[in-house]
Amino acid sequence: MSLAGERREPPATPALAAEHGLKGEEFARLVRALGRQPNLAELGIFAAMWSEHCSYKSSKVWLKRLPTKAPWVVCGPGENAGAVDIGDGQVAVFKMESHNHPSFIEPYQGAATGVGGILRDVFTMGARPIANLNALRFGDPAHAKTRHLVSGVVAGIGGYGNCVGVPTVGGECSFHPAYNGNILVNAMTVGLAEGKRLFFSAAAGIGNPVVYVGSKTGRDGIHGATMASAEFDEDSEAKRPTVQVGDPFTEKLLIEACLELMATDAIVAVQDMGAAGLTSSSVEMAAKGGVGIELDLDAVPTREAGMSAYEIMLSESQERMLMILRPGAEAAAQRIFAKWELACAVIGRITNTGRLVARRHGKPAVDLPLAALVEAAPVYERPWTAAPLPQPVPIRVAALPTGQVLLRLLNSPDLGSKRWICQQYDHTVMADTVASAGGDAAIVRVHGTTKGLALLTECTPRYCQAHPRTGGRQAVAEAWRNLCAVGARPLAITDCMNFGSPERPEVMGQFAECIEGMREACLALDFPVVSGNVSLYNETNGNAVLPTPAIGGVGLLADLGRRASHALKRAGDVLLLLGEGPGHLAQSQYQRLILGHEAGPPPPVDLSGERRAGEFVRRLIAEGQLDTCHDVSEGGLLVALAEMALAGNLGIALTTAEGHAFWFGEDQGRYLLALPEAAADSLLAGAETAGLRLRRLGSAAGDALTLRGEPPISLQTLRKAHEGWLPAYVAGDTDKG
């Protein structure tokens, strides 16, 4: 069968297929599934839909192992975003997604359009976005590109989020040489919706109109999905034209127009035009609904003349949506979108053929069976090798005063304050942000109520590199712990799985083992996965990023009047350590930054202990007994204490005399609590009965951090160390890493 196009096309050869990211066997599979040679547009559609980015062909078999259900889960994986019940007929809708490759090539637009894309995933479900978060991984600060990438990515996130009017309330940022050639930019959005007004993507209704809304289609972003499914090399800069260009002001109009139309009964199904644009949205909607779809590409609003079927189908121009409307609703939709100065065009209809058919200039340009695009897509069970738990390594602590070590850690890229980043983001817009970045979790009020959502992103890639199963387990457990530390009931997670090439057994093993660790933690903590994203081929010239299963956590605060923060609040409060450990220095920031190497096993994770401690802390907060609490994580106990002192602008007098392993070990499952003397005594007396280990460390007092046997460190000195590194780095005043 030969389909006409408006210009002379190159033949669809194996070589051309390879340029589109299809391997030889995959191209042969395509031809068998189609029963003929594809034309250029069809080849591009197959390449996009069969790409790793769209088909999850290497990860699908493992993702099925993650627990996704709970009584409070309203919508799990498979839709644009996940949704959980938060009571009163309301649901929280959320997802995390990657925009790694585009952000490395063009950091501002790559990061900006990552924010725009994840916003659309959420409001496509009928939810109003209420918060953005991000998880950023950059290379060695001394690397030639790192400063440029940091500045560009942060500016892109701030520029888009601030203009669209959704607060950016939290996230994380770390540095490691493994990300020199491939940074990670993961974006998360949380929205609110009425449970009875959620919208899904399965097309239905033979003859129903297919409606395009939003911005016009241009040539930007073509090959974006296939680029995100390939590793980088020396020619990566040449891929700059595949990076989309975003317009946050148009996105704001699109949010309002979509939500206005969603308040009517006009919409049957709706889908964001994300990766692979019109191709993925039309194919996925029709395939999910078990129907066919017919498109008139002449009706697609375009902003450039002479666009081919190939370009229209594969453009990843931003701020666009595809809708299936009820018959007769077209005029109402057009009125609404005209009011918001957005394009709205009927570009097709739903059929009963099970095929994707597209015409250009009145002639057939695409005619494909949806089953070939979806069901015939390759699914790989790739070979993988398990990583054994590393043997313990002897660690000789540094002959440095404890206070000097603390200052060096606080003045480091990972443990230093990220205030400079947070200042680029508007976290107060919408007026419902209760607590933003800097604590254990951000908190956003559920508008018009006394409820709140606690939100965070979390992962320690070094642990995952050392032992992926333990690292995956720890990432979920720490997200759960951070929610408990503010008093929130953990509800669910979204994930963003960032790994190297799945074609290498050791990388596939990292992915498989991280999934298994996550599964164990999710089951033990009743903390299901409701949405997520997989980003593979994050490597350059064979050098992969650290395995980074970023976790986005969401929890519910039933009463915002009963919550905790990490800031010390009262002089005289007793500081208690909940939990214990041997002082685990292997894979710690102390080992990395003070001793100069990374070796040994990551800290073990006791999931039953995590659950007992977290539920204990939540009960104290809910009963009004505790308002100051902090998770102990990277950097260890003394770093966490310094953070509490700085947040509350109140000193600490420590009465415990211990060594570096105690103060800087990264043992898991621990919390710091600050309570008045009488309450602390009562808690200590009852701890043993409850099977918990509580230890008195000292008290809040004065304006310095005082360690036994060492000179006091003033809060001013601590603050200068903690807040000094990043501003100096981005200003070019220091190259230290």
Side-chain angles (χ1 to χ4, degrees):
M1 179 179 180
S2 176
L3 296 174
E6 65 274 18
R7 62 181 64 172
R8 189 180 182 88
E9 295 180 348
T13 62
L16 186 60
E19 291 180 19
H20 282 72
L22 289 171
K23 299 186 183 301
E25 190 283 328
E26 291 176 334
F27 181 65
R29 182 190 189 104
L30 181 167
V31 173
R32 289 195 303 271
L34 192 54
R36 60 174 173 83
Q37 295 288 117
N39 64 27
L40 180 61
E42 292 172 334
L43 176 63
I45 289 169
F46 266 102
M49 293 308 301
W50 285 15
S51 69
E52 197 73 62
H53 191 79
C54 291
S55 74
Y56 288 25
K57 56 191 174 187
S58 298
S59 58
K60 191 178 295 185
V61 294
W62 287 102
L63 295 176
K64 291 177 180 178
R65 293 192 53 75
L66 292 172
T68 60
K69 296 181 180 179
W72 53 90
V73 172
V74 176
C75 177
E79 278 295 335
N80 288 287
V84 292
D85 187 349
I86 60 169
D88 305 309
Q90 296 174 305
V91 295
V93 178
F94 57 99
K95 186 183 179 184
M96 183 188 288
E97 197 166 78
S98 63
H99 229 223
N100 304 333
H101 289 64
S103 298
F104 184 81
I105 295 170
E106 211 303 298
Y108 185 95
Q109 289 297 346
T113 52
V115 174
I118 196 63
L119 282 164
R120 290 193 299 279
D121 281 339
V122 167
F123 73 77
T124 297
M125 300 285 292
R128 177 172 291 281
I130 62 165
N132 289 328
L133 300 93
N134 53 76
L136 311 177
R137 315 285 173 188
F138 296 106
D140 185 341
H143 188 271
K145 288 197 68 170
T146 301
R147 185 182 289 109
H148 163 70
L149 291 169
V150 171
S151 298
V153 165
V154 171
I157 292 170
Y160 203 99
N162 297 352
C163 292
V164 83
V166 177
T168 301
V169 299
E172 54 181 334
C173 174
S174 63
F175 298 80
H176 194 282
Y179 303 104
N180 281 350
N182 205 127
I183 63 173
L184 303 183
V185 175
N186 296 170
M188 176 177 170
T189 292
V190 182
L192 286 175
E194 297 298 320
K196 295 180 179 180
R197 299 295 298 172
L198 281 180
F199 290 82
F200 303 104
S201 57
I206 306 305
N208 278 353
V210 178
V211 178
Y212 171 119
V213 300
S215 289
K216 293 182 178 181
T217 295
R219 290 188 170 95
D220 52 320
I222 295 171
H223 296 310
T226 51
M227 178 191 72
S229 305
E231 64 182 274
F232 278 169
D233 55 28
E234 293 87 349
D235 299 323
S236 295
E237 289 293 338
K239 296 177 180 177
R240 188 179 300 271
T242 66
V243 178
Q244 311 96 321
V245 177
D247 180 353
F249 298 105
T250 298
E251 182 101 340
K252 173 60 175 173
L253 300 177
L254 187 60
I255 292 173
E256 299 305 329
C258 286
L259 293 179
E260 183 174 341
L261 185 61
M262 286 168 170
T264 71
D265 64 351
I267 298 175
V268 175
V270 57
Q271 175 77 38
D272 162 43
M273 288 193 219
L278 183 56
T279 285
S280 62
S281 55
S282 58
V283 169
E284 290 171 6
M285 293 178 82
K288 285 180 183 178
V291 296
I293 190 165
E294 187 174 289
L295 303 175
D296 176 7
L297 301 185
D298 297 343
V300 173
T302 58
R303 64 170 183 261
E304 299 182 46
M307 291 186 69
S308 67
Y310 178 97
E311 292 169 330
I312 293 171
M313 289 298 296
L314 294 170
S315 167
E316 293 186 11
S317 294
Q318 295 292 285
E319 294 91 35
R320 302 179 302 157
M321 313 281 277
L322 197 65
M323 296 180 173
I324 311 301
L325 299 186
R326 301 188 191 282
E330 300 94 324
Q334 287 169 338
R335 282 195 299 272
I336 289 172
F337 282 89
K339 182 182 78 173
W340 292 100
E341 300 180 343
L342 295 168
C344 177
V346 177
I347 66 166
R349 63 187 183 91
I350 298 301
T351 69
N352 62 359
T353 64
R355 303 183 72 84
L356 168 67
V357 175
R359 292 180 171 81
R360 181 63 167 150
H361 302 320
K363 299 177 181 179
V366 172
D367 189 347
L368 299 172
L370 289 164
L373 286 169
V374 179
E375 296 168 18
V379 176
Y380 296 126
E381 295 190 32
R382 296 193 183 275
W384 61 281
T385 55
L389 185 68
Q391 292 297 310
V393 294
I395 296 178
R396 181 177 295 177
V397 299
L400 294 171
T402 302
Q404 186 176 330
V405 172
L406 173 63
L407 290 174
R408 284 179 59 179
L409 292 178
L410 290 177
N411 192 236
S412 67
D414 283 9
L415 299 178
S417 169
K418 303 304 185 294
R419 183 189 300 272
W420 178 86
I421 294 176
C422 300
Q423 287 174 335
Q424 317 302 309
Y425 305 151
D426 187 344
H427 64 270
T428 62
V429 65
M430 301 182 79
D432 278 320
T433 303
V434 176
S436 58
D440 290 299
I443 300 174
V444 177
R445 180 185 294 105
V446 177
H447 190 73
T449 75
T450 58
K451 297 184 299 188
L453 293 177
L455 316 169
L456 59 91
T457 63
E458 188 57 63
C459 185
T460 309
R462 294 187 325 281
Y463 296 172
C464 299
Q465 175 79 7
H467 190 240
R469 185 178 293 236
T470 300
R473 190 185 301 133
Q474 188 273 342
V476 173
E478 187 165 350
W480 195 85
R481 192 186 320 137
N482 284 332
L483 293 172
C484 292
V486 300
R489 178 170 72 90
L491 294 176
I493 67 172
T494 181
D495 61 50
C496 198
M497 309 293 289
N498 307 271
F499 292 78
S501 170
E503 297 171 45
R504 294 198 285 138
E506 65 273 22
V507 172
M508 200 64 226
Q510 292 172 342
F511 184 89
E513 294 276 29
C514 278
I515 288 284
E516 288 302 297
M518 291 166 58
R519 169 185 164 83
E520 292 167 1
C522 289
L523 289 171
L525 301 173
D526 285 337
F527 203 26
V529 182
V530 299
S531 61
N533 171 248
V534 175
S535 176
L536 302 178
Y537 295 97
N538 289 289
E539 58 180 70
T540 299
N541 296 325
N543 296 313
V545 299
L546 299 182
T548 309
I551 303 298
V554 173
L556 177 65
L557 284 152
D559 179 2
L560 285 170
R562 297 285 176 91
R563 68 179 190 277
S565 74
H566 73 303
L568 294 176
K569 298 172 181 65
R570 295 166 293 272
D573 271 9
V574 175
L575 284 155
L576 303 177
L577 173 63
L578 171 61
E580 60 178 352
H584 192 100
L585 288 176
Q587 298 298 335
S588 67
Q589 289 285 5
Y590 177 92
Q591 183 193 49
R592 179 188 179 200
L593 299 172
I594 304 301
L595 305 181
H597 60 278
E598 300 172 31
V605 180
D606 174 4
L607 292 171
S608 62
E610 289 275 8
R611 183 152 190 166
R612 286 195 306 274
E615 290 176 345
F616 174 73
V617 165
R618 288 210 315 274
R619 178 175 62 79
L620 292 178
I621 297 171
E623 292 174 353
Q625 299 183 56
L626 179 66
D627 63 2
T628 308
C629 180
H630 194 21
D631 157 51
V632 181
S633 57
E634 284 197 278
L637 183 56
L638 198 56
V639 168
L641 286 164
E643 290 170 346
M644 296 175 76
L646 290 172
N649 201 33
L650 183 58
I652 294 175
L654 294 167
T655 56
T656 299
E658 294 284 356
H660 287 188
F662 177 79
W663 291 121
F664 303 113
E666 295 182 5
D667 307 88
Q668 298 296 293
R670 298 183 297 166
Y671 299 81
L672 284 164
L673 319 178
L675 305 93
E677 182 83 35
D681 288 342
S682 174
L683 205 59
L684 284 163
E688 190 170 341
T689 305
L692 298 167
R693 298 295 181 94
L694 276 171
R695 176 174 179 175
R696 185 189 292 253
L697 299 177
S699 59
D703 59 2
L705 178 67
T706 305
L707 288 152
R708 286 181 61 180
E710 295 193 20
I713 308 172
S714 70
L715 291 179
Q716 182 179 4
T717 301
L718 287 173
R719 199 175 305 281
K720 182 178 179 181
H722 191 228
E723 298 191 0
W725 186 86
L726 187 54
Y729 176 71
V730 294
D733 293 340
T734 177
D735 289 312
K736 63 185 177 181

